[in-house]
Amino acid sequence: MKQDMIVILDLGSTENTVVARQIRDMGVYSEIHPHDITVDELKALNNVKGVILNGGENRVVDGVAVDVMPEIYDCGFPVISIDHPTSKCETKYDSLPDDATMKAFLFDVCKAEANWNMKNFVEDQVELIRRQVGDKKVLLALSGGVDSSVVAALLIKAIGKQLVCVHVNHGLMRKNESESVVEVFRNQLNANLVYVDATDRFLGKLENVADPEQKRKIIGAEFIRVFEEEARKLEGIDFLGQGTIYPDIIESGTKTAKVVKSHHNVGGLPEDLQFELVEPLLQLFKDEVRACGIELGLPAEMVYRQPFPGPGLGVRCLGAITRDRLEALRESDAILREEFAKAGLDKKVWQYFTVVPDFKAVGVRNHERSMGYMCVIRAVNTIDAMTATIERIDYDILEKIADRITAEVPSINRVVYEITKKPVATIEFE
């Protein structure tokens, strides 16, 4: 392990990620762990230089204030606490320490080195992957999105042909997405790629399912089943690679935080999973994942492509998914992406997409009353996906997009622009 590490123990703070990023911005690696970690577990981590107890508004769980194991205070590492008045630490802070104070703790007290960078991270992960996998094979769900692409590149660097990539077309992909994945990874990057068209299978499972959490879990579980079936056709598959990143873990709930939403690669895994997971990006924020991709030599257009959730258009086709709304969603999304590219917004806006709710509104088409779907446009900017602001789009651009969508997608007769920040909204609608 090349990096020194500061361990943040979660005692109910809503600012664990803020502390982690503050430390990483100073060149020191940090990880967030649950409050009930044992001393043995703590000492088993690599190159720990100090511990931060981070308390907050979620510290009381089921009527009891959580605390660390008593022996943590005497574990031999420097320990400080933030917003945790009952702490036995000698050094306590009522709020997040400023940069000067944090630097003093990191470098003067903990004697940590500023050696957190992507080159060292990649070298460490290659070593850890090889140690975990040995001579076995890894099956990877390759959607073609940023996270799965970076994981693929990292696994290829670590274990080469021991990686088997599987791209599942679940019928919830964006327009021409699957074709693009096959072209780039099989034909250009020479990946060991298996293509599976499971459109009817997924849409059949999702028929009449309206609850967002249920949809996500069905999609996640069905993904695993498809991979298990593909694995049975191969030999020596013992591991499942995943592009889980830190915001996925936070939003799927921790011991002191409630669920925001389940992610397909966190909340939807079946209990009888037959693979051991390989998740080398587990502690990275989105911007760090992109930096990792650049370090690995992936093309910029792949690393900075539009984020796309694992459940795909399934969480943008609101309510129970129907094929006609799904097609309207796919076509409207393609128009939006095309017009954003023409206007140069594709390089400015972090994420943009359309959503089609499960209700119709009255409109006028061909000089007569007609009922059609509404299309919602969302465009947001963010650094780490934990918070997001809206993009202020010029009305002329919005009007052009609305005209094209209503003209080219006959089942849509209204286009609206959504302007809520995260929080209180999430980036996706479901």
Side-chain angles (χ1 to χ4, degrees):
M1 191 80 173
K2 302 295 188 299
Q3 294 99 346
D4 289 345
M5 184 197 301
I6 300 296
V7 174
I8 300 164
L9 297 186
D10 176 19
L11 282 156
S13 175
T14 57
E15 295 190 323
N16 289 315
T17 58
V18 176
V19 178
R21 294 191 66 87
Q22 181 187 26
I23 295 170
R24 291 187 190 188
D25 287 345
M26 295 175 182
V28 179
Y29 183 58
S30 61
E31 284 188 0
I32 302 165
H33 288 270
H35 66 278
D36 55 359
I37 190 173
T38 67
V39 168
D40 288 342
E41 290 170 335
L42 180 64
K43 291 186 175 180
L45 300 173
N46 289 304
N47 288 6
V48 175
K49 295 296 181 179
V51 177
I52 295 176
L53 311 183
N54 201 27
E57 61 189 63
N58 295 322
R59 186 172 171 235
V60 177
V61 178
D62 296 329
V64 179
V66 299
D67 201 352
V68 297
M69 299 290 185
E71 56 268 26
I72 292 293
Y73 294 106
D74 302 311
C75 64
F77 301 117
V79 180
I80 63 171
S81 67
I82 301 173
D83 193 27
H84 186 30
T86 62
S87 168
K88 299 175 183 177
C89 289
E90 294 182 4
T91 306
K92 307 175 187 178
Y93 299 97
D94 293 332
S95 59
L96 183 68
D98 59 27
D99 286 352
T101 302
M102 184 64 80
K103 284 181 180 178
F105 175 66
L106 299 181
F107 303 115
D108 298 338
V109 178
C110 298
K111 308 299 182 185
E113 292 185 26
N115 52 15
W116 160 242
N117 56 60
M118 276 304 148
K119 181 176 183 298
N120 285 343
F121 175 81
V122 168
E123 290 178 1
D124 283 346
Q125 290 304 317
V126 166
E127 179 184 334
L128 291 171
I129 291 167
R130 288 173 178 169
R131 190 186 308 165
Q132 180 184 7
V133 173
D135 61 355
K136 301 295 175 59
K137 292 181 181 178
V138 178
L139 189 65
L140 174 68
L142 181 56
S143 68
V146 177
D147 300 340
S148 68
S149 297
V150 173
V151 168
L154 192 52
L155 288 170
I156 289 170
K157 183 177 179 66
I159 58 175
K161 293 296 183 180
Q162 292 169 242
L163 174 66
V164 180
C165 298
V166 176
H167 175 69
V168 177
N169 180 0
H170 49 22
L172 305 169
M173 304 295 289
R174 291 175 290 200
K175 189 173 183 179
N176 298 324
E177 191 101 50
S178 287
E179 295 83 350
S180 174
V181 169
V182 172
E183 169 61 27
V184 171
F185 286 93
R186 177 182 287 167
N187 301 339
Q188 297 180 21
L189 299 182
N190 196 31
N192 186 4
L193 176 65
V194 176
Y195 173 75
V196 181
D197 187 349
T199 299
D200 291 339
R201 176 173 174 171
F202 274 83
L203 295 186
K205 292 275 187 179
L206 291 165
E207 189 173 359
N208 298 321
V209 177
D211 179 72
E213 284 295 288
Q214 191 178 357
K215 286 200 298 187
R216 284 178 173 271
K217 292 187 176 184
I218 287 173
I219 294 168
E222 199 62 21
F223 253 103
I224 299 300
R225 299 307 178 206
V226 173
F227 294 140
E228 286 179 335
E229 292 171 13
E230 292 304 318
R232 292 189 195 105
K233 303 174 186 177
L234 304 166
E235 294 183 358
I237 299 289
D238 291 287
F239 296 90
L240 178 67
Q242 287 203 138
T244 314
I245 65 175
Y246 194 69
D248 297 341
I249 301 297
I250 288 292
E251 291 192 332
S252 294
T254 65
K255 292 181 179 179
T256 58
K258 295 180 180 179
V259 173
V260 177
K261 59 186 175 184
S262 294
H263 286 260
H264 72 288
N265 48 4
V266 177
L269 298 177
E271 293 181 2
D272 59 344
L273 182 67
Q274 297 179 14
F275 306 109
E276 183 179 334
L277 296 180
V278 180
E279 300 176 293
L281 306 183
L282 194 62
Q283 293 288 343
L284 293 189
F285 297 97
K286 196 72 177 188
D287 58 316
E288 294 172 332
V289 174
R290 297 186 194 280
C292 184
I294 294 297
E295 176 65 31
L296 288 163
L298 288 175
E301 58 268 23
M302 181 180 296
V303 171
Y304 290 99
R305 73 179 300 176
Q306 270 284 290
F308 194 52
L313 298 180
V315 293
R316 297 174 183 173
C317 190
L318 305 187
I321 298 169
T322 60
R323 290 181 185 254
D324 64 329
R325 279 196 304 116
L326 186 59
E327 188 59 26
L329 176 59
R330 185 176 285 116
E331 292 298 324
S332 63
D333 179 77
I335 292 169
L336 176 70
R337 288 188 288 126
E338 184 178 324
E339 291 300 325
F340 264 44
K342 288 179 182 177
L345 290 169
D346 59 326
K347 297 180 176 62
K348 181 183 179 186
V349 182
W350 185 82
Q351 187 169 11
Y352 46 94
F353 53 88
T354 60
V355 171
V356 178
D358 57 345
F359 61 84
K360 288 186 176 183
V362 67
V364 178
R365 193 177 290 276
N366 298 323
H367 307 291
E368 61 183 21
R369 173 190 171 98
S370 69
M371 299 298 291
Y373 294 118
M374 177 186 294
C375 173
V376 181
I377 296 173
R378 184 139 170 83
V380 299
N381 289 310
T382 183
I383 294 176
D384 57 16
M386 299 303 294
T387 61
T389 59
I390 62 164
E391 178 67 22
R392 296 176 181 270
I393 306 296
D394 185 271
Y395 264 63
D396 289 339
I397 297 173
L398 285 175
E399 187 174 9
K400 183 178 180 182
I401 293 170
D403 287 345
R404 278 198 62 190
I405 289 175
T406 53
E408 298 175 33
V409 188
S411 60
I412 292 177
N413 67 0
R414 291 174 186 264
V415 178
V416 300
Y417 189 56
E418 205 273 328
I419 60 170
T420 314
K421 296 180 289 187
K422 178 181 180 179
V424 294
T426 54
I427 293 175
E428 297 288 343
F429 275 55
E430 290 188 341

